[in-house]
Amino acid sequence: MKMKLRLSVVLLLVINLAFTSANDKNKTFVATTEWQEIDEGQGIPAGLHVRINLKTGKKEAKLLDSEEEGGNNNNNGALLNVEQNVYEAISKESLTKHKAKVSKKLSDALQNLPKGSLSIEYSPEKLEQVKRDFKTYGELKSFKDLQKGFHSDGELITKLIDEYKNISKEDQERPITSNTKINTQLRILEDLDYLVHQIDNALWFIDKGGLDKILLPLVVNETNINLRMKAIRVLGALTLNNPKAQIKVFEKNIGGYLAQILISSVHSEELSSALYAFGSLLRKFPLALQRILSTSGTQALVAVLAKECELKVKAKSITLISDIIVEKRLVLSKYADSDNPLAAAQYAELNLQEWLQSSGFCETVDGLVSSQLYELLEQPDLTEYFVIGLENTAEICESIWSKNAQLRHTLLTIKNRYMQSKDEFRGEVAQQIETLVQILYSHNSRDEL
Ligand SMILES: *[C@@H]1O[C@H](CO)[C@@H](O)[C@H](O)[C@H]1NC(C)=O
Ligand SMILES: *[C@@H]1O[C@H](CO)[C@@H](O)[C@H](O)[C@H]1NC(C)=O
Ligand SMILES: *[C@@H]1O[C@H](CO)[C@@H](O)[C@H](O)[C@H]1NC(C)=O
């Protein structure tokens, strides 16, 4: 499916629950048949259509059209699917409170875990799993067995969600060993991971309440790191190249939770999963980019670069930053003949350069690369990620990077060593370093003349 995030396209939801702030009549939303903006924290009556206007980023509501009232599901466009979930407009205030609470929870949870459970074996094979996430749905032959007896993927997904709910319920009714429970949950998540790579399956999963019933609680509150990571993976699969799913996940503020995990986690594999999900949610979604990166998102990506974790994870983080900068550049360069001037306008407002600067990105990368000479010498593939990342962000950080003799020494040493190698790939990376060095230092020396 062509990635085409139509800005006029809207998300419709049916409100099942009234949550008017009872005694404050003034704040109650008066609905008409026209779309109207809902103010921050404003209560709205039950039974309205609600959408996020992707142009303004504001929530809007109107009365249901009579033929829509039955909650018909005949609309082909999934954006018109009527969702039965309870929809909560969270006021700014409660959102902030909630965030603070979650943040505390997560770090508490991490601190309270016994040391051993945090350091589950982290092998190269595990890292490969991220790459396998991209395997195509059709390749999953063994998975076909699972599908026997079900008419459609949709039925299968519904069954998996039910099974997941049963497992959680059983917990209260009769004792079930927590290992059995966790293994069942992991198995269900594994199956969902395969299924939701398909766009329609992902939307079905969301429509059936999968975000609220399964993923959100796991991502926000789960203390078992394997379950939490698996849920984050599923989230990444769900949103990867799936604009409609990206919108729904964005609406649940899951981007904020992922940012929180990126800030608080010290576990390389979890950070890697969270970066995958974060990137899937944000890519080509200018409104989400703007909202999430202008708040905790940029800080979260820089935090990964600064913390103690594997260099591979940091390479992923700088690559995501670099990709977003390139994405913005591409959209804006095509502005003149763009069929989507609104997207261009939104990208123009995406002030990632400034947010990176104020999050200490330049200094962090400077310190990081300068201190990683030996690791980078050994790992040309990682060096390539960093060199591309530095090149795409050079215009932001040039004044800082060009002054650091240690950084220059590191880059030149790697370049020379790679040039002496017979390995073709190292030779290519050496060329890229040369280009970077030109950008950083030739300009500088001109200034000094
Ligand atoms: C509602 O707001 C208007 C002005 O904004 C004010 O005159 C009126 O007294 C308010 N009514 C209530 C019930 O608070
Ligand atoms: C869930 O539990 C209900 C009742 O306990 C049962 O009828 C149903 O078959 C179970 N569903 C799954 C998928 O296990
Ligand atoms: C997380 O746990 C808290 C406290 O138990 C609960 O109030 C909250 O709803 C949970 N969040 C999610 C997304 O399940």
Side-chain angles (χ1 to χ4, degrees), residues 155-168:
E155 281 176 36
L156 184 51
I157 290 166
T158 306
K159 185 216 132 195
L160 288 168
I161 294 175
D162 285 347
E163 201 183 341
Y164 189 94
K165 280 192 289 183
N166 277 4
I167 265 280
S168 315

Side-chain angles (χ1 to χ4, degrees), residues 262-263 298-308 314 317 359 364:
L262 290 173
I263 289 170
T298 306
Q299 189 201 337
L301 290 172
V302 175
V304 172
L305 295 170
K307 69 175 65 185
E308 276 193 37
K314 299 181 185 196
S317 180
S359 304
T364 303

Side-chain angles (χ1 to χ4, degrees), residues 105 216-217 220-221:
K105 269 214 163 52
L216 201 49
V220 175
N221 279 339

Side-chain angles (χ1 to χ4, degrees), residues 11-15 48-50 81-83 87 248 251:
L11 174 64
L12 302 180
L13 301 160
V14 169
I15 306 296
L48 298 184
H49 267 170
V50 175
N81 278 357
V82 175
E83 194 173 62
Y87 178 85
K248 301 221 178 192
E251 287 208 323

Side-chain angles (χ1 to χ4, degrees), residues 11-17 29-36 44-51 60-73 75 79-84:
L11 174 64
L12 302 180
L13 301 160
V14 169
I15 306 296
N16 281 351
L17 189 72
F29 183 83
V30 182
T32 66
T33 52
E34 300 298 316
W35 287 111
Q36 290 178 84
I44 52 173
L48 298 184
H49 267 170
V50 175
R51 71 179 185 184
E60 299 177 342
K62 72 176 178 82
L63 294 171
L64 288 174
D65 297 336
S66 52
E67 79 232 35
E68 289 168 339
E69 224 147 359
N72 74 20
N73 251 327
N75 302 299
L79 279 186
L80 297 177
N81 278 357
V82 175
E83 194 173 62
Q84 298 297 337

Side-chain angles (χ1 to χ4, degrees), residues 23-27:
N23 42 17
D24 195 352
K25 277 244 174 260
N26 252 1
K27 281 196 157 180

Side-chain angles (χ1 to χ4, degrees), residues 98 101-102 105 212 216-218 220-221 257:
H98 192 54
K101 214 166 60 186
V102 168
K105 269 214 163 52
D212 293 301
L216 201 49
L218 286 177
V220 175
N221 279 339
Y257 296 127

